[in-house]
Amino acid sequence: MITEVSSSLENEMNPWLAAEARFDEAASRLGLDDGMRKILRSPAREVTVHIPVQLDDGRLEVFTGYRVQHSVARGPAKGGVRFAPDVTLDEVKALASWMTWKCAVVNIPFGGGKGGVVCDPRLLSMSELERITRRYTAELIEFIGPEKDVPAPDMNTNQQTMAWIMDTYSMHMRSTVTAVVTGKPLDLGGSRGRTEATGRGCQIVTSQALKLFGLEPHNTRVVIQGFGNVGSMAARLMAQAGYRIIAIVEYDVTVYNDHGLDIAALLAHRNETGSIRDFTGGENVPQQDGLFLDCDVLVPAARENVLTSQNAARVRAKILCEGANGPTTPEADKILAEKGIFVIPDILANAGGVTVSYFEWVQDRQGFFWNEQLVNGRLEEIMVNSFRDVVGYAEKHGVHNRTAAYMLALDRVSFAMKLRGIYA
Ligand code: GLU
């Protein structure tokens, strides 16, 4: 009995099984034919590399890396690279498929891909990280490229990582190819607004949802889980828009202030002390209580499997804005639906990042760069339209937003596949 429970929980926590479950539901509702289902259900290509890297102390270590291209039906594969000690191929497969659906939801001309390297960045020096990144890139040289597969930052990777990927690729090509990655530093072909883009996208779709609920920004109480790139930017921009950020939930503590946290001061405190703990503008609350605080909007912006069958019943938000990829398991979805929580699914909510990545790729290819106002204006237009598309689709078909987003995406990708036909 105990093993049964633990194995069903283990299955629940497997992101690839979650991705398949969501895919199957949307495919059935769309009446997708068997052949198309087989094609779109599995990734087109999975590459595993074992990369030898010399550590600073002279020892040789071998790291495992993955790059999965789920689909290139609508354009080059697109998606981030994450560095984490617990990265698995199943996780990368799921994340790659989510990128396919995400790019289709916001209707940008990309397929979906994702990469990961099994390593613990906290234990590695900058030069070790650089060697890992460069060797990983070199091993993937024939698989990536502006027309093939375009990596970007994800968990524990950043502008510097992208600069190393761009340089390594360019050295192999014997010319500077900025469009091979996005999320680069501004001085190397990066786009204005890219760093803030995922958080900004979360803020834009949340503001659309608030209108549906008749909530004014100053009456809106927000809890954000995660204070990395996505969480901190979402917090900053939501606070700027007048929302009250009542709690930030981090891995070690939750910081709470019912009157609203001063996000700039909290960021400064974290940068100074390494943690949000003991911030004078709020109180420390046990970490695990943070997600279940009474609020209007909950933004999980950390990682997968945060809301599960074990805890979803305790969520007290009206709106769930999924800043992270895969924060909610399919089992938790059912519970949230019963509770009537309005879910803005990850493949819509966090699509601002890849949308500005698309703008970056376009700018690099043209060699002509946009100002921030243009980037943010175009991002807003795409996010608002996509939100309306998904919510409209949900109403029309009588399904929840997540299923609607998947159906919309599957419809677009399968249409592209049909137009292309099968090369034999
Ligand atoms: N890693 C981000 C995501 O999961 C961005 C991907 C990209 O810009 O290609 O959406």
Side-chain angles (χ1 to χ4, degrees), residues 78-81 99 102 114 150-154 182 194 198 325 350 353-354 357:
K78 185 81 193 83
V81 179
M99 288 308 301
K102 192 185 298 186
K114 200 80 170 198
V150 185
D154 198 77
T182 58
R194 175 62 186 86
T198 311
N325 291 310
N350 69 37
V354 75
S357 275

